[in-house]
Amino acid sequence: MARDYYGTLGVRQDATSDEIKRAYRKLARELHPDVNPDESAQERFREVTAAYEVLSDPQKRKIVDMGGDPLGNGGGGGARDPFAGFGLGDIMDAFFGGGAGGGRGPRSRVQPGSDALIRIELTLEECNTGVSRDLTVDTAVLCDLCRGAGTAEGTSVQVCDTCAGRGEIQSVQRSFLGQVVTARPCPVCRGVGEVIPDPCRQCGGDGRVRARRTITAKVPPGVADGMRVRLSGQGEVGPGGGPAGDLYVEVVEQPHHTFERNGADLHCTVRIPMTTAALGAVLPLETLDDTVELELEPGTQPSTELLLTGHGLPRLRSSGRVDGRGDLHVHVEVEIPNKLDARQTELLRELANLRGEEEQIVATTNNGRGGGLFSRLRARHR
């Protein structure tokens, strides 16, 4: 009885060659012995491989479509293993072009280093003026014994005998795709093409060592929470003594007891007694830079906002230059006394009488339904 090659791959009978290839590729990833060592999976892998070998060949597929079995005479199943000694990496190379005779060549042993990050806490005053801070960092630095070469004194690197300096090993396999040339990194030199017979005793051949050092970071005026200052070339030295990455200094801004920040603008709240709000005054106000005179006009109302232009923070542009300063927004709150002695009460009542404010209360609450507020309250309790 002819085998169901389409069912083995899980495709329809009218599937295109690309659909057949995708189905086999998916199954090969799941069932290849390098991935799944289970015996049943290995048997299943042989079946899907045989099915793909048949359906990828137009002549054999034509036989299947006519009801025949091109492997029916012992040609399939266990007669031979078309992938014996053929790794999963070789399958992927065959499908994706990882190796077709065109070698990738050795990679450089010298690689660029990674960036590093360190956070510093700054007060609002330090964000305003800028600061120079000595920082202790722990990063990979150039080995001072071999200067990045990775070799012991008086020795040098040598060409890898295994790959002859190519950094990869090529192999030729015959499969249902024909002759496939695959290339993989050399396991001896790890794709570099060179080996170090006598490595440096300090860095072990890496060309770099970890060390703690102190550097000075200059933070410009106007920085804000979360901003990063880049120190070029102060990060991790790369393998083989490669060029160092950058060090980023991230600002963590501490809350301030007086001012709240909004970009380059500052906000603060000033609380004044109601007499000051009524009479007006000139009050000293401490900013981040100096003390200024805050002028309160007579009759200042609660929630009044006063603007002091140019008394905010420096405006730091993306270029690193400062372009002017922000403003200081002063929010005025008027405090109403909640306890009065007899004399204060008497004076306030006298002031209310002089201003006619008791009559205003009655007038503003009179809605035409029988008198003012106080008369309605008296009527409610009769």
Side-chain angles (χ1 to χ4, degrees), residues 271-275 277 300 302 333-340 348:
R271 295 175 175 84
I272 60 175
M274 65 177 185
T275 52
T300 298
E333 289 188 1
V334 178
E335 294 182 337
I336 307 298
N338 53 16
K339 289 184 179 181
L340 297 174
L348 281 179

Side-chain angles (χ1 to χ4, degrees), residues 304-364:
T304 296
E305 180 178 330
L306 304 177
L307 183 65
L308 300 182
T309 304
H311 287 278
L313 293 165
R315 298 186 187 275
L316 183 62
R317 301 303 183 187
S318 58
S319 61
R321 301 185 62 180
V322 173
D323 183 14
R325 298 183 69 93
D327 302 325
L328 175 57
H329 300 256
V330 182
H331 303 269
V332 179
E333 289 188 1
V334 178
E335 294 182 337
I336 307 298
N338 53 16
K339 289 184 179 181
L340 297 174
D341 58 24
R343 178 58 177 161
Q344 292 172 343
T345 302
E346 181 182 355
L347 290 174
L348 281 179
R349 284 177 176 172
E350 183 178 350
L351 177 62
N353 288 328
L354 290 174
R355 293 177 55 85
E357 291 177 345
E358 288 187 353
E359 296 178 359
Q360 291 180 14
I361 294 175
V362 174
T364 55

Side-chain angles (χ1 to χ4, degrees), residues 147-190:
R147 306 306 300 172
T151 58
E153 185 177 1
T155 66
S156 60
V157 297
Q158 295 182 3
V159 176
C160 177
D161 293 333
T162 304
C163 65
R166 291 189 298 271
E168 60 185 16
I169 298 176
Q170 295 183 351
S171 59
V172 180
Q173 298 283 346
R174 296 189 61 82
S175 73
F176 58 87
L177 296 175
Q179 181 173 292
V180 178
V181 179
T182 62
R184 60 183 63 186
C186 175
V188 176
C189 66
R190 299 182 180 181

Side-chain angles (χ1 to χ4, degrees), residues 223-298:
V223 293
D225 187 70
M227 284 188 177
R228 293 182 177 182
V229 177
R230 182 169 69 95
L231 303 181
S232 180
Q234 296 294 337
E236 302 272 353
V237 168
D246 298 330
L247 174 64
Y248 289 89
V249 180
E250 184 175 294
V251 174
V252 179
E253 183 179 319
Q254 299 301 295
H256 197 269
H257 62 279
T258 300
F259 300 106
E260 291 186 4
R261 180 173 184 173
N262 182 14
D265 291 345
L266 293 176
H267 293 258
C268 71
T269 299
V270 173
R271 295 175 175 84
I272 60 175
M274 65 177 185
T275 52
T276 301
L279 298 175
V282 177
L283 304 177
L285 177 65
E286 292 187 4
T287 69
L288 291 179
D289 298 301
D290 51 16
T291 300
V292 298
E293 291 184 344
L294 181 65
E295 295 185 5
L296 298 175
E297 297 290 338

